[in-house]
Structure formats: C-alpha cells, structure tokens
Amino acid sequence: MLKTRLLALVGSALACVVGVVHAQDTLALTVKSDQSGPMISRQIFGQFAEHLGRGIYEGVWVGPNSSLPNTRGIRNDVVAALKELRVPNVRWPGGCFADEYHWRSGIGPAAERPATLNPNWGGVIEPNTFGTHEFMDFVQQIGAEAYISVNVGSGTSKEAADWFEYLTADQPTTLAKERAANGHAEPFGISYLGIGNESWGCGGSMTPDYYVSQLRIYARYVRNYNSRHPMKKIAVGPEGGDTSYTEAGMKAWKERNWSWDIDGLSLHYYTVGGWPPSYKATGFGEDEYARLLKETLRMDELIRTHAAIMDKYDPEKKIALVVDEWGAWLAPTPGSKEGFLEQQNSQRDALIAALNINTFARHADRVRMANIAQMVNVLQAMLLTDQEKLVKTPTYHVFRMYVPFQDATFVPIQLDPQTYVHGEVEIQRVDAIAARDKDGKVWIAIANVDPRRAVRIRIASGDRKNETLSGETLVAPQIDSINTFEAPNTVAPKPVTAKRTGGAMTLELAPASVTVVSF
Ligand code: AHR
C-alpha cells in the first residue's frame, strides 16, 4: 500500500517539500543601497483585456440587469480584486480582435447595437454591449489608464481618427456632441494609442515596410484632442526573436519628419513551448516545469536583442520597448470552448510572472510598459470566474505582492544565483531584484526556482544593518497547485520574517516560491 502511494507521488506533480537547508544551499545577496538605477515604471504591471472567450463577457461585463452585483454592468467583485493590484493600464479591445473591431458598433443604446462576429476567437457572436463607454467606465472603476489599440488591418485611418476625435475632442464637434449624447460630455483621457496589433500576423500579414507606411499615416492623423491628458503612441514591433519589425520601425522613426512620431514599440512573446500550446496547466511534472521556466527566461535574451537595435537608432532611449503581450499560453482547460483560451494557473505561473517582472525591472531603462495576457478567464489570468464565483490565481498574488515595485527606483544587487539543473535544463536557481520606493523603503523580490530544495539567503545591505526584514512568501504544496472555486486559498501568500544570524539577515525560501520583503 505504502509503495503504491509513493509511486503515485513520484508519478504525479512534484511536492514542494521544505527540506533541511544544507550549507551549499545558502546564498549571499547584497543590496547595493548606495546605488540607484532607473525607475521601474508602474506601467510594466499593465493588463490586457481582449474580446476573447469569457475575458470581457462574464469576466468583466455581466450587464446592468444581471443578478450578480455590478456597477453599470461591471462586476463589483472583479473591480474590487483588481483595485488591490493598482492596475496601471488596460490594453483593449485586442489583440487580433482589434484589427476587426469597428468602434461604431459599440456606442449608443445597447439595444440598437449590432450583433457582429468574432472570427478569431471561437467564431462567436459579439454583442457589442461592452464598447467604448463601458471600457472607459471599467478603467475608471479600477483606477487604471486606457490603452486603446485601433484597427489598422481592416479599418481605415479615418475610422481610427474619428474614434479618437469622439473620445478626446473638447470642442463641440459633431462627434464630441455624439459622445455627450451617449452620456459623456467631458472628453475622455486616453493615455496610450496602439497603432494596430501584430500587423505581421493576424493584424494584416503586413511586411515591415508596408506596416511602416501605415504607421506614418495613423501616427499623424489619429489625434488626441484632450490637451489636459497627454497620450503616447505605440507602434507594432517584433514577434519574439524576429527583428525585421524592430529594424524597420526604428529606422523609420530615426528618419521621421515633423509630421509624425511614436513613443513606443511593442514586443509580443508568449511562454508556450511550441505551437499548438500543449503544456498542461496542472497535473504536470518537473520536466514540464523546468522546460517552461527556461522558455520564459528567453524574455531577457529577446529584450537584449531588440534593445540593442533600438540603441543603434535611439541611444537616448526615447522609444520604450512595450511588452504588451506576455505570459504562459498553455493547453486549454479540458472541456472549455475552442478558441476561448481558458487555462488554469498554478504555482509555476506564479514563478513565470515573477521571473518576467524581474526581467522587465532589470531592463527598466528601455522596458517602460508591459501587459500580461490576459486579465480575466483568458491565458495567464489574474482572476477566474464562473457565474457568481471568483478565484484569485497564483499570478494575481504575485502582482499584488509586487505592488511596492510600481514606480520604485531600481537598486542593484549582487547575488550568486547558482544553477538549477533538471535533464537538459540549466537555469538560474534563484532570481532577485531590489528597489527603493518613494518613502525610501527598500524592497527585495526573490524567486526560488528550484522545486526540490529550499534555499537560505543571507541578505546584507550597506546602510540598513540593524533593521528587520519582513514581507510575504507565495508557496504551494506542489509545483502544479492551483486555486479553485472550491479551494481558493491553496496558493496564497503567507507572512515571512528574516532572522538575524551572525550579522546578516537570513531568509529561508521554500522550493518553487516567490518572496517579497522589505527592510
Ligand atoms: O492574447 C491572445 C492573442 O495572442 C492576441 O489576440 C494576439 O495579439 C496574440 O497572437
């Protein structure tokens, strides 16, 4: 019997057992408190909400007549949970959806809006009940800024220009009056304009040069008329390691004339491990765990590659690299609708989130915005919902724990990360960043990637020898542990405190854990 149970344990996911910490498992981390790097823009904690599956409909929007508690049709529980994350910006309406979206379908009385189709995502009917005003209401309710991607693929520059006049004009133009008639007399403030989406793929399969010709036109004519609310323009950039869009976009920008400009170039990179996505969201073993983490760490190499090209044309780093789609793209939840991209979210996703955020922070001089895909019920989501039920995912907890890093100043550290080896995978065992917030408090985020061995970190920090160190740690019974509606707190942060031993603060990190502490 015992043998059977042991075999079952070996065959299933790896349990994160906190073992004895050996001498070789003690690492030294020095926070160079006397040094400062760039600001870690809070915009790297942005979200992405596409009209896809149950991301908007059910996930955010239930409609004002729903029996679920809502404010003007938007779920109260979702808003409350997202407010805790201090979401800086939300990218909408897509994704591939954006290049087939016609904004006029989503304004005016709900009953008069057309039913259209969503051919990218399940071919379902798009009711258009969540449109411009509902999106702006939503971002206002959660306290985020709006990042709107316009249709370059199947729309026109005139259509996009009209939308932005409708949104932002403060003079009584016909479009501004229409906005007022639809309930919003004041111009909206739009912080970010996305000029197309994946124009190399679902956004029109455009060659880099063709896209650049469109970019020049859209960047000129899609205007922000709200002088009290500045807006940045983001061009479509590379997919993964392909540098053709980076070269073309940056060269065009360098050679631009007075009539157009941009502020950012986007990068999309998913942690997927091959198409179609086949890595299981739960019920996986150490092999899939290790491979996917290695895959996610490619983000650093990609940023370096594209940043080097950007440096060539823009040594002053005026143009931001905006990683506006990132995250784990796994095999869909069995039984979920095709094209809805629903997947569970495990402790492995928590590590994926932490490793990517740490990477963005280390490139804070160039990466000044990022959007995880996607916010609710789609891909690496913060929240999963089912009717009246809502559960916070491990990824949600990471985003909540990292809130102090929003707009904090990067502080260099010294750390021997050691190596975690599994089969052919060799990656860093520990990954960490530090930052100083506006009140002068120093924060450290540390991921222990190793799913088998706990580590002890001896933390030294020049000017803060005698202080305590405390915070939260996200650990899980197993690497594939998930939160469900029935058991919502299987993966939840727990308080952690460092002990002072022999002149340094010592923090013990469980296997496969994410920890955020402050002095
Ligand atoms: O996030 C899902 C899809 O992935 C987006 O619509 C598209 O931009 C990307 O390919």
Side-chain angles (χ1 to χ4, degrees):
M1 177 65 175
L2 179 65
K3 194 172 161 206
T4 324
R5 287 191 56 201
L6 280 176
L7 281 175
L9 190 64
V10 169
S12 72
L14 182 73
C16 302
V17 184
V18 186
V20 180
V21 184
H22 301 287
Q24 71 270 24
D25 294 327
T26 301
L27 311 182
L29 187 157
T30 306
V31 181
K32 300 187 171 173
S33 319
D34 55 333
Q35 297 176 26
S36 286
M39 187 181 84
I40 302 167
S41 169
R42 64 186 297 254
Q43 302 301 338
I44 68 165
F45 296 91
Q47 300 284 332
F48 174 31
E50 179 168 13
H51 287 236
L52 193 176
R54 299 188 305 117
I56 296 287
Y57 298 108
E58 290 185 39
V60 171
W61 177 257
V62 286
N65 301 325
S66 170
S67 58
L68 303 191
N70 70 83
T71 302
R72 294 179 294 278
I74 294 163
R75 289 180 75 128
N76 290 348
D77 53 354
V78 167
V79 168
L82 292 172
K83 274 168 106 168
E84 285 182 54
L85 301 186
R86 292 188 48 207
V87 175
N89 74 82
V90 182
R91 179 171 181 253
W92 175 85
C96 298
F97 181 83
D99 279 296
E100 294 189 60
Y101 183 61
H102 300 284
W103 67 276
R104 281 208 156 272
S105 304
I107 57 165
E112 291 169 26
R113 295 188 195 176
T116 53
L117 287 169
N118 190 339
N120 286 291
W121 308 119
V124 295
I125 287 193
E126 163 59 53
N128 286 300
T129 42
F130 189 90
T132 298
H133 289 257
E134 292 76 20
F135 171 68
M136 293 309 297
D137 189 14
F138 170 60
V139 289
Q140 191 265 327
Q141 286 191 36
I142 66 170
E145 293 174 66
Y147 175 7
I148 294 186
S149 292
V150 294
N151 181 344
V152 174
S154 68
T156 62
S157 54
K158 160 91 172 115
E159 182 189 10
D162 283 352
W163 192 9
F164 272 64
E165 184 189 320
Y166 177 92
L167 283 161
T168 65
D170 51 6
Q171 298 190 63
T173 68
T174 302
L175 283 166
K177 284 199 242 169
E178 190 178 0
R179 182 192 67 229
N182 285 333
H184 211 277
E186 284 296 301
F188 289 114
I190 309 298
S191 300
Y192 302 98
L193 158 69
I195 302 178
N197 167 75
E198 298 194 352
S199 303
W200 31 261
C202 67
S205 283
M206 298 173 189
T207 62
D209 288 345
Y210 183 80
Y211 173 71
V212 162
S213 69
Q214 299 301 299
L215 172 66
R216 289 195 187 101
I217 296 167
Y218 278 72
R220 167 78 180 150
Y221 297 116
V222 186
R223 297 176 193 265
N224 171 30
Y225 293 98
N226 185 343
S227 51
R228 280 164 300 163
H229 195 109
M231 180 180 86
K232 293 195 158 83
K233 299 180 180 182
I234 298 163
V236 170
E239 173 195 26
D242 185 338
T243 55
S244 56
Y245 262 67
T246 321
E247 277 285 353
M250 291 307 296
K251 184 166 181 293
W253 175 80
K254 172 91 177 163
E255 293 167 358
R256 76 198 179 284
N257 63 18
W258 58 270
S259 73
W260 71 280
D261 206 349
I262 52 168
D263 305 279
L265 196 67
S266 81
L267 162 66
H268 288 185
Y269 172 62
Y270 283 97
T271 301
V272 62
W275 298 95
S278 60
Y279 277 61
K280 291 198 290 288
T282 186
F284 54 82
E286 188 170 356
D287 230 43
E288 286 195 30
Y289 171 86
R291 282 173 197 273
L292 215 59
L293 291 192
K294 181 175 176 193
E295 195 74 18
T296 220
L297 288 166
R298 246 195 98 207
M299 181 65 89
D300 181 68
E301 171 203 322
L302 294 176
I303 293 172
R304 282 178 199 282
T305 301
H306 297 296
I309 296 169
M310 295 174 83
D311 285 350
K312 206 168 66 178
Y313 296 103
D314 172 28
E316 292 169 39
K317 302 188 195 297
K318 289 186 176 151
I319 304 293
L321 185 59
V322 176
V323 190
D324 56 15
E325 284 188 33
W326 69 273
W329 191 327
L330 308 172
T333 303
S336 61
K337 278 200 193 146
E338 202 183 325
F340 274 29
L341 311 189
E342 291 192 20
Q343 63 191 46
Q344 250 295 357
N345 195 296
S346 70
Q347 179 71 358
R348 182 182 59 189
D349 293 83
L351 280 139
I352 286 173
L355 293 173
N356 279 282
I357 297 168
N358 291 357
T359 302
F360 301 150
R362 279 191 283 268
H363 292 285
D365 58 343
R366 185 64 87 176
V367 179
R368 299 196 287 270
M369 186 156 157
N371 300 74
I372 188 168
Q374 299 193 6
M375 198 168 57
V376 191
N377 292 334
V378 177
L379 299 177
Q380 191 174 348
M382 305 293 118
L383 304 169
L384 302 177
T385 68
D386 181 15
Q387 301 296 332
E388 77 291 354
K389 291 178 263 184
L390 172 141
V391 70
K392 296 174 175 171
T393 65
T395 301
Y396 173 95
H397 291 303
V398 171
F399 270 69
R400 219 268 300 123
M401 287 161 67
Y402 271 75
V403 164
F405 287 86
Q406 295 195 8
D407 283 348
T409 304
F410 188 82
V411 175
I413 58 166
Q414 192 178 321
L415 166 77
D416 165 17
Q418 295 194 350
T419 310
Y420 159 60
V421 184
H422 180 78
E424 288 167 8
V425 173
E426 279 190 38
I427 54 176
Q428 64 244 46
R429 190 175 167 205
V430 171
D431 189 77
I433 55 163
R436 186 181 297 103
D437 70 15
K438 294 213 167 79
D439 300 325
K441 211 171 180 181
V442 173
W443 293 83
I444 308 169
I446 320 170
N448 177 15
V449 167
D450 195 324
R452 292 180 181 274
R453 285 151 64 193
V455 292
R456 180 177 292 146
I457 308 271
R458 284 171 59 80
I459 301 174
S461 156
D463 58 347
R464 298 179 179 268
K465 288 193 191 80
N466 299 316
E467 296 181 36
T468 56
L469 198 57
S470 61
E472 289 176 295
T473 188
L474 192 68
V475 286
Q478 305 198 128
I479 52 176
D480 71 334
S481 294
I482 56 174
N483 290 334
T484 62
F485 300 117
E486 296 71 37
N489 295 316
T490 306
V491 187
K494 297 174 181 55
V496 67
T497 313
K499 294 191 203 109
R500 173 164 291 283
T501 48
M505 307 298 294
T506 305
L507 196 61
E508 289 201 3
L509 310 177
S513 63
V514 178
T515 304
V516 173
V517 288
S518 69
F519 285 101

